[in-house]
Amino acid sequence: MNDKLIIGGKEITNRFFTGTGKHPNNAIIPQIVEEAKIEVITVALRRVDLTSPQENILNYIPKDCILLPNTSGARNAEEAVRIAKLARACGCGNWVKIEVISDNKYLLPDNYETVKAAEILVKEGFVVLPYVSPDLMVAKALEDAGAAAVMPLGAPIGTNRGLQTKELIRILIDEIKLPIIVDAGIGRPSEAAEAMEMGAAAVLANTAVATARDPVAMAKAFSMAVEAGRKAYMAGLGPVRKEAEASSPLTGFLD
Amino acid sequence: MDFLTLLSPQAANYLEAMAQKAHRLTVQHFGRTVLLFTPMYLSNYCGNQCVYCSFSSNHRLVRKKLTLDEVEEEAKSIAATGLRHILILTGESQKHSPVSYIEDCVKVLKKYFDSISIEIYPLTTEDYTRLVKAGVDGLTIYQEVYNEETYDQLHPRGPKKNYRFRLDAPERGCRAKMRGVNIGALLGLEDYRKEAFFTGLHASYLQNKYMDTEISVSIPRIRPNIGGFTPKFSVPDRSLVQIILAFRLFMPRMGITLSTRERAELRNNLVRLGITKMSAGVSTEVGGHTIKNSTGTGQFEISDNRSVAEIKEMLLQMGYQPVFKDWHQLNGERAGEQLL
Amino acid sequence: MKLIVNGRDEILDREMTILEFLQTKGIDPSVVVVEYNLDIADREKWGEITLKDSDKLEILQFVGGG
């Protein structure tokens, strides 16, 4: 069965996306990509430390991966746009995960600034994947703006608390035509599978992989769970009966 | 479940199961409530020749248009029955019932009613906005028939010939910020399964795109009218029920409006299947709420002649709450001011 | 001559281009992106742009992120 996810004109088979942050060492990244067959991977953009230049993360990412730079560090739309343009100037494609965070306590995305950034970046020709708190009106605004997907959070970044926002994500899946990619908060493969069973288009998890005892094995477990959840969704889940079928006839008058 | 499947002949074998679920969904989303309203016919001058309608300009019918004083008398008479929601209707005539006339009528009616809906010829977005500003909050407009060829045959002359302008009217109403938009197909003009399917798709499109507007559908079956038009397709009660159930299962939160085209006993039975709005104390004649003797100039014959009080009693007997008013428009007042 | 590079003062004892500056700092030009006075500087121009007093440079690279 051909069940590819298409974003920005690219066909994606593995609907599990991961990131390159928080890993014990960079050398583990190519192993993760290979073992878990990762196709989309996130990176961030930072100032070079002039006193001790770091390793180039790109050396650890196989060339056929789709690079999804985020705009982390941006506190408003203007900064996100600036970071996105710099990321594109690195010459690794035109995808961008808009991440605008102006709250240091919960690290929740600033939906309002994110919509503004998305409107600008779509016009500038980016493939825009905005990271947001799951809100229907915001998702609709992003759809209108021409975003390529919507990335609602399952729980605050890095908390590994799972699909806390399930009901809101379900509404986005029902109402928004764009792929809904659950990002942030997913702590375990079963939660990733649950998101996929609901009809999410993909799942992104970084912390859960990077902080596992064996990140390579965990990445593989996530890929398998995401695939299983997707297959279950496509197969159509059987009905759950809430109660026995009822009582007195309602259509008796027709006889 | 797939909407098309719900409308299929096969699904007709599962009406009871569909009804149980439809009932459950309706109670879940609306409670046991039915909103009551009544139509007020302002004018029967019409430049169209819809073959199924008594107001067709082909027919020798006593033409009448209410003066603003008469509108006020009608309003008083209707308001005395307790109704607070009203639907005003006219034929299509730029000469006799232009937008400015509707606007004047609305100004009078605002004194007596909390909700004013219009069922008139299709307007531009600007004109809808103008009426919304005047105090109109609901738009009812039926496509009559979604099949474009049939539409063309049934509307031989007049401005109504423009299929597309009518089809897009509900959307213009949404853009003009109507609080509620009610659409429908006149059942019997075409294959009712197809027509109900298109009506549902139209409603679903509007609901998805304009989430701030409450979308409703009507399920009007053709009634006897001057001119003796015989509908090409018969729509038995069983099919009407299937359509209502399919709508409810397809769109659990959508309003479903039932008119007095249907007989009293059937209407009683349909309430529990998903109906959320009903007309009561109805006359389809211009001035019908105040004139003593009917002149037989109504738009169509009605089947349920019960008064508002009788309908109210019927609903209470069934354990339903008759709702006379479900919102209050704040015309520039501070929110809550009325409550103080 | 004083520049501001990545938000910090940087003293240069002679005139040089962006490319030369990166090389003296031991930075591989192929892995960074440069913003020169708030505009993204084309990679091809790095050898042509000569740094002036109080210019602002931002030198960035991809790092791990989620």
Side-chain angles (χ1 to χ4, degrees):
Chain A
M1 185 176 54
N2 182 13
D3 177 33
K4 298 249 172 38
L5 171 61
I6 297 174
I7 295 179
K10 292 204 170 146
E11 284 192 357
I12 298 160
T13 304
N14 187 352
R15 292 164 180 266
F16 176 59
F17 303 176
T18 193
T20 53
K22 299 188 189 172
H23 285 287
N25 57 70
N26 286 341
I28 209 167
I29 293 169
Q31 293 176 48
I32 287 172
V33 170
E34 191 184 338
E35 287 285 320
K37 299 192 169 56
I38 298 298
E39 293 172 43
V40 179
I41 197 160
T42 59
V43 292
L45 197 65
R46 286 287 179 279
R47 282 172 167 171
V48 172
D49 182 352
L50 296 177
T51 54
S52 59
Q54 299 102 320
E55 297 184 285
N56 176 19
I57 192 102
L58 297 182
N59 290 339
Y60 296 93
I61 301 174
K63 290 283 168 281
D64 50 356
C65 271
I66 297 172
L67 212 58
L68 179 57
N70 66 35
T71 63
S72 65
R75 289 155 301 168
N76 55 43
E78 198 185 346
E79 290 175 1
V81 168
R82 183 177 170 204
I83 295 170
K85 286 180 176 172
L86 284 162
R88 183 166 63 177
C90 289
C92 298
N94 61 344
W95 286 38
V96 62
K97 170 182 154 183
I98 303 181
E99 183 177 328
V100 181
I101 293 178
S102 51
D103 137 51
N104 281 320
K105 185 171 181 190
Y106 301 101
L107 301 178
L108 287 171
D110 185 328
N111 280 359
Y112 177 69
E113 291 292 320
T114 301
V115 171
K116 286 205 285 186
E119 283 166 350
I120 296 167
L121 290 171
V122 167
K123 288 199 188 99
E124 299 270 354
F126 284 85
V127 175
V128 172
L129 295 87
Y131 166 63
V132 291
S133 286
D135 175 274
L136 180 57
M137 296 309 151
V138 163
K140 278 184 169 277
L142 292 169
E143 195 169 37
D144 289 346
V150 178
M151 303 180 83
L153 58 90
I157 289 185
T159 57
N160 285 352
R161 292 183 59 212
L163 271 182
Q164 300 290 330
T165 59
K166 185 158 79 182
E167 288 310 315
L168 297 170
I169 288 177
R170 193 192 306 281
I171 291 170
L172 298 197
I173 290 169
D174 285 351
E175 301 296 333
I176 303 296
K177 292 183 192 75
L178 299 176
I180 302 298
I181 302 172
V182 178
D183 180 8
I186 299 296
R188 35 178 100 208
S190 58
E191 291 155 3
E194 190 182 5
M196 296 304 292
E197 283 168 4
M198 282 163 52
V203 166
L204 192 159
N206 181 356
T207 304
V209 170
T211 61
R213 188 164 46 76
D214 181 347
V216 177
M218 186 57 81
K220 203 169 170 186
F222 265 103
S223 279
M224 292 166 80
V226 164
E227 188 182 352
R230 178 65 187 178
K231 280 205 157 62
Y233 172 73
M234 295 303 279
L237 295 170
V240 179
R241 286 244 172 273
K242 285 196 195 75
E243 63 233 64
E245 287 297 329
S247 54
S248 58
L250 288 165
T251 56
F253 66 92
L254 289 171
D255 298 327
Chain B
M1 202 191 293
D2 186 25
F3 182 44
L4 199 52
T5 311
L6 293 169
L7 286 167
S8 69
Q10 287 73 21
N13 298 321
Y14 301 95
L15 285 193
E16 180 58 30
M18 286 167 71
Q20 293 290 347
K21 188 162 183 196
H23 174 67
R24 209 161 58 228
L25 286 171
T26 309
V27 172
Q28 181 186 332
H29 290 287
F30 296 88
R32 288 182 172 80
T33 64
V34 174
L35 179 88
L36 298 180
F37 70 97
T38 208
M40 179 198 281
Y41 282 76
L42 299 176
S43 162
N44 61 10
Y45 288 95
C46 195
N48 290 314
Q49 296 185 0
C50 314
V51 300
Y52 47 81
C53 179
S54 302
F55 289 175
S56 162
S57 63
N58 265 347
H59 298 144
R60 294 173 120 201
L61 176 81
V62 180
R63 299 288 164 172
K64 187 168 162 47
K65 166 188 163 184
L66 297 183
T67 64
L68 293 183
D69 285 343
E70 287 168 330
V71 168
E72 184 134 20
E73 287 311 306
E74 284 270 302
K76 280 179 188 162
S77 163
I78 293 169
T81 67
L83 291 176
R84 288 292 173 270
H85 283 228
I86 197 162
L87 174 67
I88 53 176
L89 299 93
T90 65
E92 178 154 13
S93 168
Q94 281 305 325
K95 187 177 161 207
H96 296 282
S97 50
V99 176
S100 57
Y101 169 69
I102 308 288
E103 209 174 8
D104 293 339
C105 292
V106 168
K107 279 175 196 155
V108 173
L109 293 169
K110 265 169 75 173
K111 288 186 274 177
Y112 299 92
F113 299 101
D114 294 294
S115 169
I116 302 169
S117 296
I118 51 168
E119 184 170 352
I120 63 172
Y121 46 92
L123 302 180
T124 60
T125 310
E126 293 69 38
D127 280 341
Y128 281 135
T129 306
R130 181 173 157 193
L131 291 180
V132 166
K133 281 194 182 129
V136 170
D137 61 278
L139 167 66
T140 291
I141 186 160
Y142 301 155
Q143 186 60 25
E144 321 291 15
V145 54
Y146 281 88
N147 181 307
E148 205 166 346
E149 264 177 48
T150 311
Y151 184 96
D152 202 55
Q153 291 159 15
L154 297 177
H155 304 97
R157 248 174 291 283
K160 196 164 172 178
K161 257 213 127 23
N162 192 339
Y163 174 90
R164 191 76 214 185
F165 188 67
R166 191 171 188 88
L167 187 66
D168 291 335
E171 178 154 16
R172 291 194 298 273
C174 291
R175 290 213 181 105
K177 298 287 174 202
M178 289 283 182
R179 197 178 65 100
V181 168
N182 192 121
I183 62 170
L186 202 40
L187 300 172
L189 296 179
E190 247 299 334
D191 178 340
Y192 61 83
R193 292 185 202 279
K194 291 182 191 162
E195 290 294 308
F197 182 64
F198 288 126
T199 307
L201 291 192
H202 196 177
S204 156
Y205 165 80
L206 294 170
Q207 186 71 91
N208 287 333
K209 192 161 177 189
Y210 302 96
M211 297 191 119
D212 51 350
T213 301
E214 184 201 44
I215 305 298
S216 304
V217 291
S218 294
I219 26 61
R221 288 196 284 190
I222 291 239
R223 292 291 304 154
N225 50 82
I226 302 174
F229 170 77
T230 317
K232 212 157 108 200
F233 299 83
S234 78
V235 187
D237 288 355
R238 182 166 278 278
S239 301
L240 183 71
V241 165
Q242 187 180 356
I243 292 168
I244 293 171
L245 298 175
F247 279 149
R248 174 56 67 230
L249 298 182
F250 177 52
M251 292 176 69
R253 290 177 294 113
M254 177 169 74
I256 303 181
T257 309
L258 182 64
S259 77
T260 52
R261 292 164 183 269
E262 305 302 342
R263 58 194 193 279
E265 190 202 347
L266 180 61
R267 288 181 102 210
N268 296 358
N269 283 314
L270 294 179
V271 165
R272 294 194 297 168
L273 302 188
I275 300 303
T276 59
K277 295 178 210 184
M278 279 180 123
S279 49
V282 170
S283 163
T284 68
E285 279 179 54
V286 176
H289 295 278
T290 41
I291 48 174
K292 294 284 177 292
N293 299 309
S294 168
T295 49
T297 56
Q299 191 188 21
F300 56 84
E301 283 179 29
I302 64 173
S303 309
D304 181 353
N305 289 302
R306 284 177 294 181
S307 66
V308 176
E310 285 167 320
I311 297 276
K312 179 179 166 186
E313 188 50 35
M314 175 272 289
L315 289 171
L316 289 171
Q317 288 286 328
M318 285 178 62
Y320 277 68
Q321 183 191 2
V323 176
F324 290 89
K325 164 177 172 173
D326 72 350
W327 87 311
H328 182 84
Q329 191 172 22
L330 294 167
N331 294 316
E333 303 155 19
R334 274 186 298 124
E337 196 163 59
Q338 285 291 310
L339 303 174
L340 299 176
Chain C
M1 175 165 65
K2 194 167 80 176
L3 307 176
I4 300 171
V5 182
N6 288 357
R8 292 184 175 193
D9 289 352
E10 189 78 28
I11 308 292
L12 292 194
D13 47 13
R14 64 180 177 87
E15 219 172 55
M16 61 177 78
T17 64
I18 292 176
L19 192 57
E20 286 170 320
F21 177 77
L22 293 175
Q23 284 158 349
T24 59
K25 289 287 171 189
I27 296 168
D28 176 357
S30 69
V31 307
V32 296
V33 58
V34 174
E35 201 184 61
Y36 174 61
N37 292 335
L38 301 178
D39 283 322
I40 296 172
D42 279 348
R43 204 168 285 279
E44 300 76 47
K45 303 252 171 77
W46 291 354
E48 298 162 22
I49 299 173
T50 304
L51 296 167
K52 308 183 301 291
D53 191 44
S54 65
D55 273 350
K56 281 186 187 154
L57 274 190
E58 288 284 344
I59 304 165
L60 301 106
Q61 75 174 127
F62 281 135
V63 297

